């Protein structure tokens, strides 16, 4: 089955800095890669996603890049703000139609 | 439009007790899922359903059973709870994955279960 590795497990940045979270996946047939943000005690919420036929997607301060050859994708957050502090999860949709999640990254943005 | 709801929100069980978690969605989604979330391990799929009357095993199905008798409901059962099942359980629903992009999995608020 699919295996998704996510790094780093924790990330601490100063307000205004950029943050990058990276994920690798194992199933070359995976074709959809969402990113979720989860605030403490809340449910995961989709923040951005990308399909395998696209190399990059941007939505205001967040962007996702995908390298199909290397089987890795990354989340980029620019001009970070304290409200960006949360746990971020990447995921990959495998050929079996199931989402496999990474282990999560705790992002802390210091004012 | 309530989205995805879960009951109960919290529960404490003793080892060996049984319980059922209820997930309900009002978005007419075909697919429903049960995940468990443990610290440092992300979300792991327990069971899922691609339609009324159908269920399938996910990544960590042992110790759990599910039923999807109605399209809008997905039940997760623990027949004999164990401390290893202490976790936060999330239900989610979606259209079929080929329709994802502008729409994806919607998660419920979670159920925090403690097994003593």
């Amino acid at each position: 089955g699919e295996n998704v590795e996510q790094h780093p497990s924790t990330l601490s940045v100063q307000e205004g800095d950029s943050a990058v979270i990276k994920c690798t996946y194992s199933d070359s047939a995976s074709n959809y890669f969402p990113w979720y943000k989860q605030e403490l005690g809340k449910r995961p919420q989709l923040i951005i996603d990308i399909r395998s036929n696209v190399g990059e997607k941007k939505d205001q301060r967040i962007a996702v890049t995908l390298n199909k050859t290397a089987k890795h994708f990354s989340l980029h957050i620019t001009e970070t703000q304290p409200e960006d502090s949360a746990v971020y999860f990447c995921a990959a949709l495998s050929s079996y139609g199931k989402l496999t999640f990474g282990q999560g990254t705790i992002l802390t943005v210091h004012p | 439009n309530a989205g995805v709801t879960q009951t109960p929100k919290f529960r404490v069980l003793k080892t060996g007790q049984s319980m059922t978690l209820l997930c309900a969605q009002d978005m007419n989604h075909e697919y429903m899922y049960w995940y468990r979330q443990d610290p440092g391990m992300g979300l792991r799929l327990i069971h899922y359903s691609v339609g009324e009357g159908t269920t399938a095993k996910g990544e960590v199905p042992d110790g759990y059973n599910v039923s999807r008798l109605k399209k809008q409901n997905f039940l997760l059962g623990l027949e004999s709870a164990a401390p290893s099942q202490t976790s936060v359980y999330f239900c989610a629903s979606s259209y079929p994955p080929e329709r994802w992009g502008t729409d994806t999995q919607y998660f419920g608020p979670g159920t925090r279960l403690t097994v003593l």
Side-chain angles (χ1 to χ4, degrees), chain A residues 2-3 6 31-32 34 36 38 40-46 49-51 57 87 89 92-94 96-104, chain B residues 2 4-5 31 33 35 37 40-45 48 57-59 90 97-110 112:
Chain A
E2 174 68 277
N3 183 48
Q6 182 173 346
N31 59 8
Y32 174 78
Y36 288 86
Q38 186 179 29
L40 189 62
K42 300 288 183 63
R43 72 192 79 187
Q45 293 201 306
L46 179 73
D49 55 17
I50 192 168
R51 287 204 174 271
K57 184 177 179 180
V87 182
F89 293 97
L93 181 66
S94 72
Y96 302 99
K98 294 179 288 187
L99 269 184
T100 300
F101 286 80
Q103 297 85 349
Chain B
V4 182
T5 59
Y31 283 43
Y33 316 78
Y35 293 92
Q37 184 175 34
M41 301 192 73
L43 288 143
R44 293 183 293 168
L45 184 64
Y48 66 105
K57 294 180 180 180
E59 184 183 351
F90 284 99
E98 55 266 25
R99 291 179 57 178
W100 292 7
T102 58
D103 222 344
T104 183
Q105 288 191 8
Y106 288 87
F107 285 85
R112 186 172 296 275

Side-chain angles (χ1 to χ4, degrees), chain B residues 8-13 17-20 111-115:
Chain B
K9 290 185 170 55
F10 303 94
R11 185 72 186 268
V12 178
L13 290 178
Q17 287 185 318
S18 63
M19 77 163 295
T20 301
T111 295
R112 186 172 296 275
L113 175 66
T114 302
V115 183

Side-chain angles (χ1 to χ4, degrees), chain A residues 12-81:
Chain A
S12 183
V13 300
Q14 290 296 127
E15 183 176 1
D17 288 350
S18 295
V20 180
I21 303 170
K22 298 181 179 181
C23 289
T24 60
Y25 61 99
S26 61
D27 185 353
S28 57
S30 290
N31 59 8
Y32 174 78
F33 307 92
W35 285 89
Y36 288 86
K37 176 183 180 182
Q38 186 179 29
E39 297 176 344
L40 189 62
K42 300 288 183 63
R43 72 192 79 187
Q45 293 201 306
L46 179 73
I47 55 171
I48 196 168
D49 55 17
I50 192 168
R51 287 204 174 271
S52 58
N53 58 350
V54 175
E56 183 175 0
K57 184 177 179 180
K58 190 174 182 180
D59 182 4
Q60 298 183 332
R61 294 187 297 109
I62 59 174
V64 57
T65 59
L66 172 65
N67 184 326
K68 284 172 53 180
T69 303
K71 290 191 282 189
H72 68 70
F73 55 112
S74 300
L75 177 71
H76 304 253
I77 306 174
T78 59
E79 301 172 22
T80 53
Q81 301 166 3

Side-chain angles (χ1 to χ4, degrees), chain B residues 33-65:
Chain B
Y33 316 78
W34 275 107
Y35 293 92
R36 61 177 289 172
Q37 184 175 34
D38 303 294
M41 301 192 73
L43 288 143
R44 293 183 293 168
L45 184 64
I46 305 171
H47 287 280
Y48 66 105
S49 167
V50 301
E52 182 178 328
T54 70
T55 63
K57 294 180 180 180
E59 184 183 351
V60 288
D62 294 343
Y64 305 95
N65 57 75

Side-chain angles (χ1 to χ4, degrees), chain B residues 67-95:
Chain B
S67 65
R68 182 105 180 263
L69 298 180
K70 294 182 179 180
K71 186 177 184 179
Q72 63 269 34
N73 295 337
F74 196 28
L75 304 179
L76 178 71
L78 286 74
E79 290 185 345
S80 180
S84 60
Q85 293 177 304
T86 293
S87 188
V88 179
Y89 291 85
F90 284 99
C91 174
S93 71
S94 76
Y95 291 116

